[in-house]
């Protein structure tokens, strides 16, 4: 059945509301859940449903996204025919691509949804209702993911709107002929990550092992070669999700620690998210903070946000007790 | 250094009888190590990190797991050819010994027309730059170079000992000598000039009484004929994990910082699997341990290596143990000095201890091998 469906992940959606987490990367490439990137759920949902042709549209060459996707092998999308394609989101590129693609239906997602979507069921419903567009909903919230015929998509894209400044969902809603849009309710946990608050709250929800079972049950990601995480004699870790390749000597509570993070003796990390390859020095203190990749929190540094407004620190930042260094500039604290 | 003139042949056909249940369904090089690896990852990763691009992997005993694991060698960025025994016009043979296995695959080696052939074992735990050994081999203008490591004198009689003069030239091999003259043990790692090895493999096949083994037949034969053989002194951690106890010890060595897997300059590659990060519950205690992705830890884990997808229930205490992938440890279980087998289910309240068994380590998870129930 899915031989007739093209998966389309629009990675061009703006991500300003993710603040520092979106600098230098597009929304679907934002790291999430201790080892993943947001796009992993969209890709896995499609690949698990048997969609073996997925195109990712990017507005700029996103190194982190390309590096993550590779050949698509980790999602079973490395094929001689079809498989995974990354396209520049320019009309000259994707319109001919879509015209040439023989598949009748298109699944469009933005690559920022954390959910297990039964796409087979959704396609069946779409065919039964005869709707122009089927929209994935979680309760009353739209997950901004759509199923429609490719020809209709091309027609929408060909409309006189300047769609570089508009979102696809607006174009559907404001279609001049008025489209028949049906809702498909997704079952179970479903979150759309658009803001820092979404990101922080949804991340911390993963500290529930029951929820982990659902959220992680079928998601695939790029395979890595980190060794297992090493705990030292002094380490104390409670209620936390820990990626591979970490070396932990300090205290970690209610936190998500990504791959390859080093946490020194007497460091304290609470209610925080530390992304890959971060280094947290001796007696450093982090609470309600989101630390992007490759950050160095030096000895004795103190960082504290609030549950409502977690501190967000960009990647490759260096923080000492007195000052912080970022992008070749030095700021005092 | 240009390493294209050197290809590797990894001997991975061994059964590993002394590993008991661990090798019931897989060859010894497929046995898991250090939380996420298999033993074969060490020679293959060492090859990749040394700049070797081509490897043949000789298999025989229970090859399914190894074959599906290694495939074409992508995870190690190697071009791997799997070399199981085969039939040809006029019949075929099981591999009679390590030299016979390589002899049977001379056609594989000839395809690459190498100058040097590196012979490796598939079941040792170590990190080694073979490029340095090859450089040494060339400098010494040797026909064959044998990698050696200093072992404690008290253990020397358990190894193949290599006696050398001051310039590293080998003048004698002694297999498990009762009174060793030296404490340099052969690591089973050899670099041969291919032209020399080729002719000696041919000669060896004509010897009716030969066991067709590198250590027993090929190397002594070369020595008797006055070929130039040198010993390359390797420095670093190396362990042949042939027994349950030595496998356990090597895992503990990682916990005790005698050997590190957290080495960005010398990564050990493996076939990854798609499992989520591990979760440590509020009441759990984890210390001095390696924990792999996919675990759920509710109890206490101290000085242990825990592989992927292991569940450790509340009130359980695990010490000095290696827990293989997928094992499920119930509540209030006590485990000390044990290796728990893959997918084992340990019932609530079980007590498993290796303290009373002869070599101090118990294998658990199989009814035949048994553990004491409280």
């Amino acid at each position: 059945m899915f031989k007739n469906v093209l998966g389309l992940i629009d990675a061009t959606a703006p991500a300003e509301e993710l603040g520092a987490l979106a600098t230098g990367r597009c929304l679907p490439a934002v790291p999430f859940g201790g080892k993943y990137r947001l796009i992993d759920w969209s890709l896995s949902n499609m690949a698990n449903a048997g969609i073996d042709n997925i195109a990712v549209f990017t507005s700029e060459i996103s190194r982190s996204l390309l590096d993550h996707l590779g050949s698509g092998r980790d999602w079973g999308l490395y094929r001689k025919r079809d498989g995974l394609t990354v396209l520049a989101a320019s009309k000259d590129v994707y319109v001919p691509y879509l015209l040439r693609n023989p598949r009748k239906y298109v699944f469009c997602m933005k690559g920022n949804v954390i959910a297990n979507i039964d796409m087979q069921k959704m396609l069946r419903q779409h065919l039964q209702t005869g709707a122009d567009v089927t929209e994935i909903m979680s309760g009353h919230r739209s997950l901004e993911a759509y199923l429609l015929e490719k020809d209709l998509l091309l027609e929408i894209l060909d409309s006189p709107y300047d769609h570089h400044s508009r979102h696809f969902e607006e174009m559907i809603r404001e279609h001049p002929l008025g489209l028949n849009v049906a809702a498909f309710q997704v079952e179970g946990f479903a979150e759309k990550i658009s803001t820092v608050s979404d990101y922080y709250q949804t991340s911390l929800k993963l500290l529930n092992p029951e929820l982990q079972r659902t959220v992680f049950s079928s998601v695939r990601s790029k395979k890595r070669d980190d060794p297992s995480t090493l705990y030292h004699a002094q380490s104390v870790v409670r209620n936390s999700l820990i990626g591979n390749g970490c070396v932990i000597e300090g205290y970690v509570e209610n936190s998500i620690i990504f791959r390859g993070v080093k946490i020194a003796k007497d460091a304290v990390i609470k209610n925080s998210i530390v992304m890959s390859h971060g280094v947290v020095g001796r007696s450093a203190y982090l609470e309600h903070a989101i630390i992007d990749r490759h950050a160095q929190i030096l000895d004795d540094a103190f960082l504290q946000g609030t549950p409502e407004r977690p501190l967000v620190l960009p990647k490759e930042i260096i923080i000492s007790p007195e000052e912080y260094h970022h992008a070749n500039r030095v700021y005092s604290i | 250094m240009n390493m294209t003139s050197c290809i590797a042949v990894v001997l991975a056909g061994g059964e590993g009888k002394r590993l008991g249940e661990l090798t019931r369904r897989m060859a010894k090089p497929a046995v898991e190590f250090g939380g996420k690896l298999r033993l074969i990852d060490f020679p293959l990763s060492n090859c990749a990190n040394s700049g070797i691009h081509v490897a043949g992997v000789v298999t025989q005993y229970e090859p399914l797991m190894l074959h599906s694991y290694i495939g074409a060698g992508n995870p190690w960025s190697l071009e791997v050819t799997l070399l199981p025994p085969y039939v040809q016009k006029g019949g075929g043979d099981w591999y009679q010994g390590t030299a016979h296995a390589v002899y049977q695959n001379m056609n594989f080696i000839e395809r690459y027309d190498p100058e040097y052939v590196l012979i490796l074992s598939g079941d040792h735990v170590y990190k080694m730059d073979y490029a340095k050994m090859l450089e040494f081999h060339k400098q010494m203008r040797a026909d064959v170079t044998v990698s050696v490591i200093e072992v404690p004198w008290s253990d020397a009689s358990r190894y193949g000992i290599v006696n050398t003069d001051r310039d590293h030239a080998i003048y004698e091999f002694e297999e498990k000598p009762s009174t060793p003259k030296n404490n340099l043990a052969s690591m089973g790692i050899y670099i041969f000039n291919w032209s020399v090895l080729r002719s000696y493999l041919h000669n060896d096949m004509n010897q009716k009484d030969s066991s067709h083994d590198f250590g027993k037949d090929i190397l002594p034969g070369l020595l008797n004929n006055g070929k130039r053989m040198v010993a390359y002194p390797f420095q670093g951690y190396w362990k042949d994990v042939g027994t349950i106890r030595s496998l356990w010890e090597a895992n503990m060595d990682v916990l005790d910082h005698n050997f590190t897997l957290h080495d960005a300059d010398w990564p050990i590659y493996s076939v990854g699997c798609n499992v989520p990060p591990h979760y440590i519950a509020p009441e759990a205690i984890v210390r001095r341990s390696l924990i792999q992705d996919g675990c759920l830890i509710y109890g206490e884990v101290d000085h242990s290596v825990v592989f992927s997808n292991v569940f450790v229930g509340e009130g359980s205490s695990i010490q000095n143990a290696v827990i293989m992938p997928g094992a499920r440890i119930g509540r209030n279980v006590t485990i000390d000095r044990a290796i728990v087998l893959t997918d084992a289910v340990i019932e609530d309240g079980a007590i498993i201890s290796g303290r009373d068994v002869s070599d101090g380590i118990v294998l658990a998870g199989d009814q035949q091998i048994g553990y004491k129930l409280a």
Side-chain angles (χ1 to χ4, degrees):
Chain A
M1 180 153 82
F2 278 89
K3 278 286 173 204
N4 222 358
V5 180
L6 167 70
L8 196 159
I9 296 175
D10 178 11
T12 63
E16 309 86 67
E17 286 180 282
L18 275 170
L21 300 179
T23 39
R25 59 166 81 96
C26 55
L27 178 61
V30 172
F32 187 79
K35 69 179 284 187
Y36 305 95
R37 290 186 190 260
L38 293 177
I39 196 172
D40 288 338
W41 277 268
S42 301
L43 274 180
S44 300
N45 275 312
M46 290 179 179
N48 292 341
I51 298 176
D52 58 0
N53 187 188
I54 297 177
V56 179
F57 288 9
T58 60
S59 55
E60 57 202 276
I61 293 303
S62 167
R63 192 201 56 80
S64 56
L65 185 66
L66 291 180
D67 173 62
H68 186 71
L69 297 175
S71 62
R73 189 187 293 274
D74 291 322
W75 296 268
L77 293 169
Y78 178 61
R79 305 288 172 98
K80 285 203 168 177
R81 286 187 64 179
D82 305 326
L84 184 72
T85 312
V86 181
L87 295 172
S90 137
K91 218 167 170 178
D92 314 339
V93 176
Y94 62 72
V95 169
Y97 175 81
L98 290 171
L99 283 170
R100 251 201 324 271
N101 196 300
R103 299 185 180 221
K104 187 172 178 194
Y105 300 97
V106 186
F107 250 123
C108 301
M109 302 183 80
K110 286 201 319 199
N112 65 336
V113 169
I114 308 295
N116 291 320
I117 300 161
D118 184 343
M119 294 190 165
Q120 309 238 13
K121 194 172 163 190
M122 183 179 173
L123 180 59
R124 274 197 303 274
Q125 182 195 305
H126 182 76
L127 297 176
Q128 278 163 10
T129 59
D132 295 320
V133 178
T134 300
E135 179 177 24
I136 303 183
M137 306 286 290
S138 173
H140 297 296
R141 292 172 305 142
S142 169
L143 297 184
E144 293 166 11
Y146 307 91
L147 175 60
L148 68 167
E149 284 191 22
K150 187 191 73 182
D151 291 343
L152 177 58
L153 175 67
L154 277 166
E155 185 194 313
I156 293 171
L157 293 174
D158 201 34
S159 61
Y161 293 115
D162 168 15
H163 52 269
H164 280 296
S165 60
R166 303 174 74 87
H167 300 324
F168 182 65
E169 55 270 18
E170 287 175 53
M171 297 199 279
I172 288 177
R173 291 223 177 76
E174 296 165 17
H175 191 276
L177 303 176
L179 294 175
N180 169 13
V181 180
F184 173 78
Q185 283 293 336
V186 64
E187 285 165 26
F189 183 83
E191 293 289 346
K192 185 179 66 185
I193 309 293
S194 304
T195 67
V196 169
S197 173
D198 293 343
Y199 184 88
Y200 186 63
Q201 300 306 332
T202 308
S203 292
L204 293 187
K205 279 182 191 167
L206 296 177
L207 296 177
N208 171 351
E210 290 299 316
L211 197 63
Q212 287 166 26
R213 212 163 300 164
T214 21
V215 173
F216 294 142
S217 63
S218 54
V219 63
R220 291 187 264 178
S221 190
K222 179 181 171 153
K223 288 180 184 163
R224 302 277 186 170
D225 283 291
D226 308 85
S228 306
T229 282
L230 183 64
Y231 290 78
H232 281 250
Q234 309 86 349
S235 75
V236 177
V237 177
R238 296 201 177 109
N239 192 39
S240 294
L241 204 53
I242 315 281
N244 256 357
C246 299
V247 178
I248 302 180
E249 297 185 71
Y251 181 93
V252 180
E253 189 180 3
N254 304 333
S255 293
I256 295 179
I257 309 296
F258 279 64
R259 302 176 305 107
V261 171
K262 295 200 167 32
I263 300 169
K265 232 170 111 178
D266 301 321
V268 174
I269 300 177
K270 291 181 184 173
N271 304 299
S272 292
I273 296 160
V274 183
M275 293 189 197
S276 311
H277 306 296
V279 177
V280 182
R282 278 191 173 216
S283 304
Y285 184 93
L286 298 181
E287 191 175 7
H288 302 299
I290 303 173
I291 314 291
D292 209 327
R293 290 160 57 91
H294 293 283
Q296 293 180 55
I297 313 299
L298 303 183
D299 295 358
D300 302 309
F302 183 92
L303 295 166
Q304 192 174 35
T306 66
E308 296 75 28
R309 286 184 63 104
L311 266 183
V312 182
L313 299 176
K315 61 183 172 188
E316 288 157 20
I317 196 167
I318 301 173
I319 297 193
S320 77
E322 297 82 28
E323 57 196 18
Y324 64 92
H325 302 248
H326 187 249
N328 297 324
R329 297 180 69 175
V330 182
Y331 307 83
S332 58
I333 287 176
Chain B
M1 182 196 305
N2 176 13
M3 292 288 280
T4 48
S5 59
C6 180
I7 69 168
V9 175
V10 186
L11 303 171
E15 176 178 349
K17 282 198 185 78
R18 291 174 298 164
L19 287 173
E21 280 298 297
L22 289 165
T23 52
R24 181 152 80 167
R25 288 180 208 87
M26 58 176 116
K28 187 170 148 191
V31 168
E32 297 95 337
F33 181 83
K36 77 174 289 190
L37 306 173
R38 294 182 187 270
L39 295 175
I40 190 76
D41 291 327
F42 288 100
L44 295 181
S45 300
N46 288 340
C47 280
N49 292 332
S50 302
I52 290 175
H53 302 301
V54 173
V57 178
V58 175
T59 61
Q60 176 157 283
Y61 173 79
E62 285 287 350
L64 175 62
M65 178 69 85
L66 271 180
H67 286 190
S68 67
Y69 185 74
I70 297 170
N74 281 334
W76 304 271
S77 314
L78 292 173
E79 181 180 324
V80 169
T81 304
L82 295 164
L83 304 169
Y86 58 93
V87 291
Q88 51 195 317
K89 292 271 181 228
D93 284 313
W94 295 106
Y95 296 145
Q96 313 293 320
T98 50
H100 182 241
V102 177
Y103 172 81
Q104 290 286 76
N105 290 296
M106 291 209 316
N107 50 359
F108 159 75
I109 298 171
E110 296 284 17
R111 284 180 62 191
Y112 292 94
D113 188 26
E115 216 167 320
Y116 309 100
V117 174
L118 169 67
I119 305 286
L120 301 170
S121 291
D123 46 15
H124 296 165
V125 174
Y126 67 117
K127 293 185 282 192
M128 180 172 175
D129 188 345
Y130 304 132
K132 285 186 183 159
M133 181 176 169
L134 182 60
E135 190 54 35
F136 182 85
H137 176 83
K138 290 175 181 170
Q139 272 175 8
M140 300 296 280
R141 299 179 186 284
D143 293 306
V144 55
T145 298
V146 178
S147 185
V148 297
I149 187 165
E150 276 188 48
V151 294
W153 278 94
S154 54
D155 293 347
S157 56
R158 290 178 19 219
Y159 291 93
I161 294 298
V162 177
N163 293 319
T164 60
D165 65 21
R166 257 180 279 165
D167 297 326
H168 304 286
I170 298 171
Y171 66 85
E172 188 183 25
F173 293 103
E174 288 187 289
E175 189 58 27
K176 298 182 181 162
S178 49
T179 49
K181 296 181 199 127
N182 200 339
N183 65 335
L184 292 178
S186 167
M187 298 162 65
I189 296 169
Y190 318 116
I191 291 176
F192 287 93
N193 292 344
W194 170 232
S195 57
V196 174
L197 178 59
R198 184 174 45 200
S199 70
Y200 275 77
L201 287 173
H202 276 297
N203 291 345
D204 181 62
M205 288 310 125
N206 297 325
Q207 306 292 319
K208 288 280 179 290
D209 53 346
S210 173
S211 54
H212 308 310
D213 183 88
F214 273 98
K216 292 194 191 96
D217 307 296
I218 300 289
L219 296 181
L222 282 151
L223 195 62
N224 289 338
N225 288 340
K227 289 290 172 193
R228 179 157 167 76
M229 305 180 74
V230 299
Y232 171 71
F234 172 72
Q235 287 182 338
Y237 182 92
W238 172 82
K239 200 162 179 97
D240 177 355
V241 288
T243 63
I244 290 166
R245 180 163 180 108
S246 61
L247 178 68
W248 176 85
E249 282 172 353
N251 276 285
M252 296 300 123
D253 280 339
V254 181
L255 302 179
D256 298 337
H257 311 290
N258 297 323
F259 181 64
T260 181
L261 301 172
H262 289 255
D263 182 351
D265 295 331
W266 203 266
I268 305 301
Y269 303 104
S270 61
V271 178
C273 51
N274 256 307
V275 278
H278 65 263
Y279 175 68
I280 309 289
E283 62 275 21
I285 298 172
V286 181
R287 289 196 203 102
R288 303 189 298 166
S289 293
L290 277 173
I291 313 281
Q292 172 63 14
D293 275 352
C295 293
L296 284 173
I297 312 287
Y298 290 85
E300 178 177 354
V301 179
D302 183 25
H303 204 248
S304 296
V305 174
V306 184
F307 284 76
S308 60
N309 296 322
V310 167
F311 176 89
V312 178
E314 261 174 56
S316 289
S317 163
I318 295 173
Q319 281 195 304
N320 309 309
V322 177
I323 316 289
M324 292 298 190
R328 190 178 170 84
I329 317 288
R331 295 173 177 216
N332 304 314
V333 171
T334 304
I335 297 176
D336 186 18
R337 301 180 72 90
I339 297 178
V340 176
L341 295 169
T342 301
D343 292 333
V345 176
I346 309 295
E347 304 291 343
D348 292 357
I351 298 175
I352 296 164
S353 171
R355 297 213 176 259
D356 304 332
V357 303
S358 59
D359 68 352
I361 308 302
V362 70
L363 274 188
D366 186 281
Q367 289 150 339
Q368 301 306 310
I369 294 170
Y371 43 84
K372 290 179 285 182
L373 288 174

